[in-house]
Amino acid sequence: MNQKLEYETFVIGCLLGQTDISEIRIIIKPYHFADLDLRRSYERILELDDQNLSLDYGQLIDMNIDLAPVMAIRNGVASMKDLKLYAMKVVELYLSIQSARLLNRSLELLPVDGPKAVLTGLISSIDDFLGDYHEEEPSFAQDHGVWEKMIRESPGEQVIYSGLESLDAHLKPVQGARVVLIAARPSLGKTSLAVQMALRSAEKGKQIAFFSLETDVSQLMPIFVANELQINRSRLAEHDVGELDDRRNSEAYKKLLSYDMKLYSHSDRLSDIMAKIIHLKKTQGLDIAFIDYVGLISGDEKKNDTQANVIGRISRQLKALSLKLKIPIVVLAQLNRDCVKTSRKPEMADLRDSGSLEQDADFILMLHRPKTEQEVYFKHKTELLIVKNRTGSIGSGGFTDFNGRFQRFEECEAPLATNLSTYSNRSKGY
């Protein structure tokens, strides 16, 4: 058995009976398989996964697939890490074969004079093409210097900013492959907070993609402009641009125009959103992706599928995408009504429709509008609750004033009320 066939057989063998293949299906596509039988097997696995089913031995027999090598691998011991490694090997060999064909084709077209220059450029292009597929994880046994350096070195530059000092202190370690969840009941300002994070991060030179599924870009743009230029949003919504015209020569206006920030509202399909994120990362660069909000994403629902199952699959695929691209993905979500009915602070169990969000997120921020003993809402006082944080402490991220005119959150002191208990700064939450 040649090496590529061995890797492909290993992948199919390990996938038999697997219930969650969201990470694998991002890594490897059917066309990566050279063996046609194994390609058909993988296509069938993907079809069944879309129906929440898995491939079994009987179906392989019906497809006339040679069971011997597949069974030998399936009966062995293989972890998900092994499976991802072999899936990457299949993709790497596919790319190598395609690159070799490209090279051979180019050699046929080389001019008589100057072949060295042409070859040098071609080889450089191939190296760039294959670069993403040669990265290896450090081994504790062989690369102790690498992981010691990871631990000893201080964290890199902060990626996500909010403009709120107390919250930014918690966001500082949230770097690289992270899923950040902002959750609240409707009308508490979760979209405005995400917009504020996007603006403050863009101000620091970060490249931003913001996907709005709840409103069209034309309706979202006034929130960005109102927040950044401190213009009354309701006037912008009514196309009263007097204040905007007054600020055209301001530094804030010029700064807004300089931000590398892209807004999208063209599709609610998860596959379209993921494809756009991958394209931006590969072609233009991307530091943070924002998605507003997860409950409106279309995840290729099947007959008799529950909303919890759909959001669970969406959550796992976004997590896998974040790990693959090594960027934070900020996702907005709604909380259920129970926390409002009981006038209590929200918890992770209040995430609507799916516990997968709770499991897959690395950092969960919830917005809470507290009440006084007289049951009157503080209309502008909002507490930021950090209920999960893989890289730091959990607890209260401070109180903010929500300025509805400018759609922005501003620092403030905690409201004076005898029954307002604050979260204690507990240790890391996993």
Side-chain angles (χ1 to χ4, degrees):
M1 185 183 297
N2 64 51
Q3 191 177 51
K4 185 162 176 36
L5 181 58
E6 179 184 350
Y7 291 155
E8 293 178 1
T9 304
F10 187 95
V11 170
I12 298 301
C14 291
L15 284 174
L16 289 179
Q18 288 281 351
T19 57
D20 182 6
I21 65 168
S22 55
E23 293 185 55
I24 301 302
R25 62 187 301 164
I26 289 177
I27 295 173
I28 187 170
K29 306 300 179 186
Y31 60 80
H32 289 139
F33 287 83
D35 185 271
L36 296 180
D37 285 339
L38 295 176
R39 181 185 299 182
R40 287 192 297 119
S41 300
Y42 186 62
E43 289 172 343
R44 183 57 179 156
I45 288 172
L46 296 183
E47 291 173 3
L48 292 170
D49 183 59
D50 289 336
Q51 304 170 38
N52 294 324
L53 301 173
S54 56
L55 188 67
D56 57 31
Y57 306 129
Q59 290 167 317
L60 283 180
I61 295 174
D62 293 339
M63 296 170 65
N64 296 317
I65 303 298
D66 182 9
L67 284 179
V70 174
M71 289 285 287
I73 291 170
R74 184 67 186 94
N75 292 333
V77 179
S79 65
M80 179 56 72
K81 183 176 180 180
D82 294 328
L83 175 53
K84 288 192 285 187
L85 175 63
Y86 275 83
M88 291 294 288
K89 290 292 186 182
V90 170
V91 175
E92 182 177 350
L93 286 174
Y94 166 82
L95 293 173
S96 298
I97 292 170
Q98 296 303 314
S99 299
R101 290 175 179 170
L102 176 62
L103 179 58
N104 289 331
R105 177 61 176 160
S106 300
L107 286 172
E108 296 174 2
L109 301 175
L110 277 176
V112 176
D113 298 324
K116 184 175 180 180
V118 178
L119 277 175
T120 301
L122 180 61
I123 291 171
S124 175
S125 299
I126 292 173
D127 285 341
D128 292 340
F129 185 51
L130 295 176
D132 292 340
Y133 297 92
H134 289 290
E135 184 175 350
E136 295 182 358
E137 298 297 329
S139 162
F140 273 84
Q142 300 174 1
D143 303 314
H144 60 276
V146 176
W147 58 261
E148 278 194 13
K149 184 178 179 182
M150 288 180 178
I151 295 173
R152 294 179 187 278
E153 281 188 345
S154 60
E157 181 184 355
Q158 185 168 345
V159 178
I160 305 176
Y161 296 84
S162 68
L164 303 169
E165 185 177 347
S166 57
L167 179 57
D168 282 348
H170 291 278
L171 289 171
K172 186 173 183 178
V174 182
Q175 303 171 13
R178 295 287 187 272
V179 173
V180 176
L181 194 65
I182 302 176
R185 288 295 300 154
S187 302
L188 284 189
K190 58 182 179 292
T191 296
S192 296
L193 181 58
V195 166
Q196 184 163 325
M197 285 181 171
L199 285 166
R200 299 287 67 79
S201 301
E203 183 182 19
K204 297 293 184 178
K206 307 305 176 186
Q207 296 171 286
I208 308 296
F210 199 107
F211 296 84
S212 175
L213 283 67
E214 193 167 27
T215 59
D216 186 77
V217 167
S218 62
Q219 297 173 293
L220 183 66
M221 187 63 73
I223 302 178
F224 279 86
V225 175
N227 186 297
E228 184 68 17
L229 303 183
Q230 299 188 45
I231 297 176
N232 191 321
R233 182 216 174 179
S234 61
R235 292 182 181 176
L236 291 175
E238 295 168 359
H239 306 288
D240 181 350
V241 295
E243 288 186 77
L244 180 62
D245 289 337
D246 291 340
R247 286 169 173 74
R248 285 191 183 277
N249 294 320
S250 68
E251 290 300 318
Y253 186 88
K254 295 175 183 176
K255 188 166 62 175
L256 177 61
L257 295 180
S258 71
Y259 293 162
D260 189 349
M261 190 161 48
K262 301 173 179 64
L263 310 184
Y264 301 96
S265 63
H266 64 284
S267 175
D268 62 357
R269 291 181 61 84
L270 179 63
S271 56
D272 293 340
I273 294 171
M274 292 177 65
K276 177 60 72 174
I277 291 174
I278 293 171
H279 176 73
L280 288 173
K281 177 66 175 178
K282 296 294 184 183
T283 60
Q284 302 177 39
L286 181 64
D287 294 308
I288 316 169
F290 291 81
I291 302 176
D292 181 17
Y293 69 96
V294 69
L296 296 179
I297 297 177
S298 173
D300 298 324
E301 298 89 341
K302 303 299 179 181
K303 187 177 181 180
N304 300 324
D305 223 354
T306 66
Q307 182 70 356
N309 286 339
V310 173
I311 291 185
R313 287 199 301 274
I314 291 170
S315 175
R316 289 190 294 273
Q317 290 186 58
L318 290 176
K319 176 72 171 183
L321 182 64
S322 174
L323 289 169
K324 180 178 177 63
L325 300 183
K326 296 181 173 60
I327 63 168
I329 297 179
V330 181
V331 184
L332 277 60
Q334 283 197 6
L335 298 173
N336 61 39
R337 295 186 180 90
D338 290 346
C339 55
V340 176
K341 291 178 181 178
T342 57
S343 303
R344 59 173 173 79
K345 293 185 179 183
E347 302 170 348
M348 283 193 284
D350 294 314
L351 287 169
R352 191 170 180 177
D353 294 320
S354 178
S356 294
L357 293 170
E358 172 186 342
Q359 173 183 324
D360 295 330
D362 300 284
F363 186 97
I364 300 179
L365 174 67
M366 294 184 175
L367 308 186
H368 173 56
R369 190 74 49 83
K371 292 183 180 181
T372 64
E373 289 179 335
Q374 291 75 31
E375 298 297 312
V376 177
Y377 274 104
F378 289 100
K379 292 186 177 179
H380 303 294
K381 302 290 184 186
T382 304
E383 186 176 10
L384 306 176
L385 302 174
I386 300 163
V387 298
K388 183 177 181 180
N389 186 3
R390 292 191 193 274
T391 54
S393 61
I394 61 174
S396 177
F399 280 84
T400 68
D401 265 327
F402 178 63
N403 188 324
R405 292 177 62 221
F406 302 151
Q407 295 292 295
R408 63 189 293 164
F409 287 84
E410 300 164 349
E411 301 271 13
C412 73
E413 298 296 326
L416 297 175
T418 57
N419 72 330
L420 288 180
S421 60
T422 59
Y423 275 45
S424 61
N425 260 348
R426 290 172 283 175
S427 59
K428 296 178 184 178
Y430 292 92

